[in-house]
Amino acid sequence: MKNRPEIVIVGGGFGGISAAKALRKTNCNITLVDKRNHHLFQPLLYQVATAALSPGDIAVPIRAIFGDDKNVRTVLGEVVSIDKTNKRIHISDDSSIDFDYLILAPGAIYNYFGNERWKSHAPGLKTLKNALSVRERILISLEEADKLDDPQDRKKYLTYAVIGAGPTGVEMAGAIAEIAKRNMMRDFRNIEIEETEIFLIEAAENVLNGYPEDLSNKAKSDLEEMGVKVLLNNPVKSIREDGVELENSFIETPNIIWAAGVKASPLLGSLDCNLDKMGRAFVEEYLNIPDHDSIFVIGDAAHVKDEDGQPLPALAPVALQQGKYLAKLIKKRESGKKTSSFKYVDKGTMATIGRAKAVADIRGLKFSGFLAWMLWSVIHIFFLIGFRNRFRVFAEWMWHYLTFKRGVRLITNEPDGSQTDSDDS
Amino acid sequence: MKNRPEIVIVGGGFGGISAAKALRKTNCNITLVDKRNHHLFQPLLYQVATAALSPGDIAVPIRAIFGDDKNVRTVLGEVVSIDKTNKRIHISDDSSIDFDYLILAPGAIYNYFGNERWKSHAPGLKTLKNALSVRERILISLEEADKLDDPQDRKKYLTYAVIGAGPTGVEMAGAIAEIAKRNMMRDFRNIEIEETEIFLIEAAENVLNGYPEDLSNKAKSDLEEMGVKVLLNNPVKSIREDGVELENSFIETPNIIWAAGVKASPLLGSLDCNLDKMGRAFVEEYLNIPDHDSIFVIGDAAHVKDEDGQPLPALAPVALQQGKYLAKLIKKRESGKKTSSFKYVDKGTMATIGRAKAVADIRGLKFSGFLAWMLWSVIHIFFLIGFRNRFRVFAEWMWHYLTFKRGVRLITNEPDGSQTDSDDS
């Protein structure tokens, strides 16, 4: 009789977590590997970046999710290569894990289009570290502005440049516009709210390029009504420490956020299979890579064609459905049952349409956009943690939503070159 | 008629904040300078270090405290020198601020006794950055231990060395001993709680040296009962990346916390006045430095003699009383009233005796020690924020206290040398 099947899942995002959850009470051993110790609700990262939420509000330790599941093992580690022949993954600490089935859900990272040196000036918004870095810049800029009496000197500190007008960029620009309205701004005596200037910079010809045109147009006009200056057809020429260089102008600011393009995790490079121009792996009908029936790729790292031959979008519900599908597939395989191809069902959920909708309904209703996202994530984490904690998490989230806790406006890093108590790290 | 007096306060800790608060509705301009943007409730830092509380739970943006006070200006900056003659302070960004009265409350930093290179291996517990650094080490160590099957390999990751058995060290050692009992540990499958080894290392001959002997003895026996190995008469010879070298032994561990001694902020060096061996400035009866009637030093940075000629301890209630005293002194001076010397009144408060008491009452009552501290800080922050927010903060704190939110077990830093998404910062 065969041993318990070993299923290795790489990535603790929506895809990896949903696959692991669906395999919880089965007769297999699951090892979930992630280079971070937490599952992150990425759609709300921009709220951490604008000091409206704490990291702890949008992240859950992966171990906590599977605390009660005896057949799920969590490993903190970075996968560096995949040995398809021997069915083994290698981790950066030189250990390796053998598998019967491998589910790769490593997600995506920001694409700087070859200009990696821009990264230090313009963080993306994919990780908690990103978000905290952006938060720090914003808070320090406000502090610097507050020290200066001449509005001309203050200008750059109160200028923000968000690069990329996809959903993330649009949300971030909107969230920054909202900072100006928060009580927090009253605490900065020298700053006039009207001095704030927010640029949303996009190389293509519209905001939310690729979405239905009426949605794109509405998002643009709503952002403009909030005071955001939307610059279209404006590819970035260069990003420097002191600002953003466009074709015909230079925006002086230390507050630059990159939301301009994603590419799939470079881990896929070790799979030796075809990748699309965003680095995503082309997968077959069972979400498996070609010529291998037990290695799968899902989520933002996978190029899965829908019925029209178009790749499925990089959205959470896609990854969630794929994770659940694979769990079913594996169960069927193990019990010799008939399997079927993956088929994405677009339920028109709040998350799929909701993000664009939330974005579109900005005027006076951004609030409900935020509410929609908060509910989405509350529900998501709610069902993630387990019954025992549900009440607590739910109440906590509702409380935070209602009270916009101020405690997160913290600059926790030490000032550079401080003469005292300068911690290394 | 004289202009409004300019009062500059350096330091947003207990001393600086209490002085500023007491001067709120007076006819003077207050400028509060701190190199960090938040007021920190230091006594609970060890709870952030053991992932029981979030940074946002124990820190408040200084601006938020004085949001409604028109005569209080907050400046984020590091004071680099003090010009006594011209009554001016210089800040690291090359700006300067003139004063009529200067209150220096810059606090203390950890003393590595000349061995600054030990700092990167053994962070202290004075700042949020410290606490988050310790938290990260502890969480990563647990993750590393969980990957290993051989208990011998795991040993060092489950070993902790706290250096210095003063109140901070004792609290930290106790808190680590408690981690082992938390639900969290069930999530690490490979680790047996009994494998955890905690060392509290002290050069002197007792724990809480300087406190009443029966308290010291009780603290020691209670810690030992919790499983902490207390090593007395054991000065540290050297601290390396892989462990602590004592006279006759070596403790192999990456988890080293420094709580072995404090010294006053080096800023006092620019005062050109006598300092004690901890770097504290000797002050006179009005808490002023010698030969200057309008520069004052309070809190951990001041050497203030009590009636027996002994220096007052570096505790929060001392700084609080001193801050309030100076506010009164300044008000009296400005209105030509008679002033009196500073006299510390030891109310035997929960904080003065309470810390030792909380520490002493460890067995089964450490819980009430924690409760005592939580109440202390709730009350402290409660009255700090202002009526509008009191209910919210109070409810939030009680909620956290009751629920030990898991969300803070987050490693937010990116893994070193990660191939993907490696943020500079």
Side-chain angles (χ1 to χ4, degrees):
Chain A
M1 180 175 172
K2 196 172 183 293
N3 279 344
R4 290 166 65 95
E6 296 286 334
I7 303 171
V8 173
I9 300 174
V10 176
F14 289 118
I17 295 286
S18 70
K21 277 184 62 186
L23 286 162
R24 269 170 161 162
K25 297 186 180 10
T26 59
N27 184 36
C28 47
N29 294 330
I30 300 156
T31 302
L32 201 156
V33 188
D34 194 311
K35 59 179 178 169
R36 298 183 190 100
N37 77 335
H38 52 271
H39 167 70
L40 180 64
F41 193 78
Q42 286 189 36
L44 282 177
L45 265 177
Y46 76 100
Q47 290 285 342
V48 172
T50 53
L53 291 180
S54 262
D57 297 330
I58 66 167
V60 178
I62 297 171
R63 291 183 176 282
I65 299 171
F66 299 106
D68 293 330
D69 301 308
K70 301 275 173 274
N71 69 326
V72 180
R73 178 171 74 120
T74 311
V75 172
L76 180 75
E78 185 176 3
V79 179
V80 295
S81 68
I82 300 152
D83 181 346
K84 294 195 290 191
T85 316
N86 295 308
K87 293 176 83 166
R88 178 178 298 147
I89 59 167
H90 293 276
I91 299 185
S92 59
D93 61 1
D94 291 335
S95 64
S96 61
I97 306 176
D98 293 343
F99 61 84
D100 293 311
Y101 299 93
L102 176 65
I103 300 177
L104 294 167
I109 62 175
Y110 274 107
N111 188 353
Y112 288 84
F113 304 109
N115 299 298
E116 300 310 299
R117 68 193 174 290
W118 291 355
K119 214 190 301 189
S120 61
H121 308 313
L125 264 186
K126 274 242 162 240
T127 64
L128 279 177
K129 185 172 177 177
N130 284 162
L132 293 174
S133 178
V134 171
R135 179 180 86 179
E136 184 175 310
R137 271 167 207 258
I138 291 177
L139 290 176
I140 289 178
S141 287
L142 290 171
E143 292 282 351
E144 291 300 314
D146 199 60
K147 290 189 212 176
L148 303 163
D149 291 317
D150 184 348
Q152 272 304 113
D153 296 331
R154 284 203 293 268
K155 194 167 171 41
K156 64 178 180 182
Y157 291 116
L158 301 174
T159 302
Y160 303 83
V162 179
I163 304 180
T168 300
V170 168
E171 261 162 2
M172 191 64 196
I176 296 173
E178 297 224 317
I179 284 179
K181 299 191 194 121
R182 283 198 219 151
N183 281 346
M184 171 171 100
M185 290 308 292
R186 292 187 311 114
D187 295 346
F188 291 92
R189 303 291 166 69
N190 244 358
I191 301 174
E192 295 297 329
I193 288 170
E194 294 71 34
E195 295 181 63
T196 304
E197 210 171 12
I198 308 163
F199 293 94
L200 179 58
I201 301 161
E202 170 60 48
E205 51 189 16
N206 209 348
V207 153
L208 294 182
N209 203 35
Y211 279 73
E213 201 176 323
D214 57 342
L215 226 61
S216 292
N217 293 337
K218 188 159 195 317
K220 176 170 182 283
S221 61
D222 286 342
L223 281 168
E224 283 169 337
E225 201 153 332
M226 291 175 88
V228 175
K229 292 182 174 60
V230 182
L231 307 179
L232 301 171
N233 297 305
N234 253 292
V236 162
K237 203 165 153 202
S238 150
I239 296 182
R240 303 169 358 199
E241 190 173 13
D242 59 340
V244 183
E245 207 186 325
L246 304 173
E247 292 291 327
N248 296 317
S249 56
F250 178 72
I251 299 173
E252 189 183 8
T253 172
N255 306 311
I256 310 166
I257 298 129
W258 185 266
V262 290
K263 58 182 180 180
S265 164
L267 170 63
L268 300 182
S270 90
L271 273 181
D272 190 32
C273 63
N274 286 333
L275 306 177
D276 69 9
K277 56 186 184 343
M278 287 169 64
R280 298 182 296 191
F282 288 102
V283 293
E284 299 186 332
E285 53 176 330
Y286 301 109
L287 303 180
N288 56 301
I289 59 172
D291 304 325
H292 208 299
D293 68 351
S294 43
I295 295 180
F296 308 88
V297 186
I298 59 173
D300 292 4
H303 183 122
V304 181
K305 294 200 190 300
D306 65 14
E307 291 154 329
D308 305 318
Q310 293 304 308
L312 291 176
L315 291 175
V318 175
L320 287 166
Q321 282 191 28
Q322 292 169 339
K324 285 182 192 145
Y325 164 81
L326 280 185
K328 269 210 195 103
L329 183 80
I330 290 171
K331 282 188 251 190
K332 285 181 181 172
R333 287 243 189 113
E334 287 296 310
S335 49
K337 295 202 183 110
K338 190 158 148 16
T339 57
S340 53
S341 336
F342 173 74
K343 202 167 124 143
Y344 177 63
V345 177
D346 190 341
K347 296 176 182 150
T349 62
M350 175 165 55
T352 313
I353 292 182
R355 198 207 280 259
K357 189 176 197 309
V359 154
D361 295 347
I362 287 180
R363 188 208 318 205
L365 291 176
K366 175 82 173 170
F367 190 78
S368 52
F370 177 52
L371 174 53
W373 272 118
M374 282 296 292
L375 283 177
W376 202 112
S377 50
V378 166
I379 288 163
H380 173 75
I381 303 233
F382 196 71
F383 287 102
L384 210 57
I385 307 272
F387 185 72
R388 203 173 3 123
N389 287 310
R390 279 178 188 178
F391 177 71
R392 180 182 66 76
V393 171
F394 181 71
E396 197 177 77
W397 280 77
M398 282 298 103
W399 186 254
H400 284 173
Y401 172 60
L402 292 170
T403 59
F404 295 108
K405 53 186 286 195
R406 284 183 175 186
V408 298
R409 289 155 45 196
L410 303 178
I411 300 170
T412 54
N413 257 329
E414 294 298 288
D416 288 332
S418 171
Q419 297 177 14
T420 65
D421 199 21
S422 53
D423 290 45
D424 306 315
S425 110
Chain B
M1 180 172 169
K2 194 172 183 299
N3 280 342
R4 291 164 65 93
E6 295 288 332
I7 304 170
V8 172
I9 300 173
V10 176
F14 289 118
I17 294 288
S18 69
K21 277 185 60 183
L23 287 163
R24 270 170 161 164
K25 299 190 185 353
T26 59
N27 183 38
C28 47
N29 294 331
I30 301 155
T31 302
L32 200 156
V33 187
D34 194 312
K35 58 181 179 168
R36 299 184 190 99
N37 79 333
H38 52 271
H39 167 72
L40 180 62
F41 192 78
Q42 286 190 36
L44 282 177
L45 266 176
Y46 76 100
Q47 291 286 342
V48 172
T50 53
L53 292 180
S54 262
D57 297 329
I58 67 166
V60 179
I62 297 171
R63 292 183 176 280
I65 299 172
F66 299 106
D68 293 330
D69 302 307
K70 301 273 170 275
N71 69 325
V72 180
R73 177 170 76 118
T74 312
V75 172
L76 180 75
E78 186 177 2
V79 178
V80 295
S81 68
I82 299 152
D83 181 343
K84 294 195 288 189
T85 317
N86 295 309
K87 294 176 84 169
R88 176 179 298 146
I89 59 167
H90 294 277
I91 299 184
S92 59
D93 61 2
D94 291 336
S95 64
S96 61
I97 307 178
D98 293 346
F99 60 84
D100 293 310
Y101 299 93
L102 175 65
I103 300 176
L104 294 168
I109 60 176
Y110 273 107
N111 189 353
Y112 288 84
F113 303 110
N115 300 297
E116 299 313 299
R117 68 198 174 289
W118 292 355
K119 214 188 302 187
S120 60
H121 308 312
L125 264 185
K126 274 241 162 242
T127 64
L128 280 177
K129 186 172 178 175
N130 285 162
L132 292 173
S133 180
V134 171
R135 179 179 85 179
E136 184 176 310
R137 269 168 208 259
I138 291 177
L139 290 176
I140 289 179
S141 287
L142 290 171
E143 291 283 351
E144 290 300 314
D146 199 61
K147 291 188 211 178
L148 303 164
D149 291 318
D150 185 348
Q152 272 305 112
D153 296 331
R154 285 203 293 269
K155 196 167 172 34
K156 64 178 179 180
Y157 292 117
L158 300 174
T159 302
Y160 303 83
V162 179
I163 303 179
T168 300
V170 167
E171 264 165 0
M172 191 62 196
I176 295 174
E178 297 224 317
I179 284 179
K181 299 191 196 120
R182 283 198 220 151
N183 280 345
M184 170 169 102
M185 290 309 291
R186 291 186 313 116
D187 295 346
F188 291 92
R189 304 291 166 66
N190 246 356
I191 301 174
E192 294 297 328
I193 288 171
E194 294 72 33
E195 293 182 63
T196 302
E197 211 172 11
I198 307 163
F199 293 94
L200 179 57
I201 301 162
E202 169 61 48
E205 52 190 13
N206 208 348
V207 154
L208 295 182
N209 204 34
Y211 280 72
E213 202 176 323
D214 56 345
L215 228 61
S216 292
N217 294 337
K218 186 157 197 314
K220 177 171 183 287
S221 60
D222 287 342
L223 281 168
E224 284 169 335
E225 204 155 330
M226 292 175 88
V228 175
K229 295 185 173 58
V230 181
L231 306 179
L232 301 171
N233 297 305
N234 251 293
V236 162
K237 202 163 154 206
S238 151
I239 296 181
R240 302 166 3 195
E241 189 173 12
D242 59 342
V244 182
E245 207 185 326
L246 304 173
E247 291 293 326
N248 298 317
S249 56
F250 178 71
I251 300 173
E252 188 183 9
T253 172
N255 307 312
I256 310 166
I257 298 129
W258 185 266
V262 289
K263 58 181 181 179
S265 164
L267 170 62
L268 299 183
S270 92
L271 273 182
D272 191 33
C273 63
N274 286 333
L275 306 177
D276 69 10
K277 56 187 187 330
M278 287 170 62
R280 297 182 295 190
F282 287 102
V283 294
E284 300 187 332
E285 53 178 327
Y286 301 109
L287 303 179
N288 55 300
I289 59 174
D291 305 324
H292 208 299
D293 69 351
S294 42
I295 295 181
F296 308 88
V297 186
I298 59 174
D300 292 3
H303 183 123
V304 182
K305 293 200 189 303
D306 67 11
E307 290 156 330
D308 305 319
Q310 292 304 307
L312 292 175
L315 291 174
V318 176
L320 286 166
Q321 281 191 28
Q322 292 168 341
K324 287 183 191 142
Y325 164 82
L326 281 185
K328 270 211 194 100
L329 183 80
I330 290 172
K331 282 188 252 193
K332 285 181 181 172
R333 288 243 188 111
E334 287 296 310
S335 49
K337 294 196 181 116
K338 188 158 149 14
T339 57
S340 53
S341 336
F342 173 74
K343 201 167 131 160
Y344 176 62
V345 178
D346 189 343
K347 296 176 183 152
T349 62
M350 175 166 54
T352 311
I353 292 178
R355 199 207 278 260
K357 188 175 198 309
V359 155
D361 294 347
I362 287 179
R363 186 203 322 202
L365 292 176
K366 174 82 174 173
F367 189 78
S368 51
F370 176 51
L371 174 53
W373 273 118
M374 283 295 292
L375 283 176
W376 204 112
S377 51
V378 167
I379 288 164
H380 173 76
I381 302 232
F382 197 71
F383 287 102
L384 210 56
I385 305 272
F387 186 73
R388 197 166 17 115
N389 287 311
R390 278 180 189 175
F391 177 72
R392 180 182 66 74
V393 171
F394 180 72
E396 197 176 78
W397 279 75
M398 280 298 104
W399 187 254
H400 285 173
Y401 171 61
L402 290 170
T403 58
F404 294 109
K405 53 186 286 195
R406 286 183 174 185
V408 298
R409 289 155 45 197
L410 304 177
I411 302 170
T412 55
N413 257 330
E414 295 297 288
D416 289 331
S418 171
Q419 297 177 16
T420 67
D421 199 22
S422 54
D423 290 45
D424 306 314
S425 106

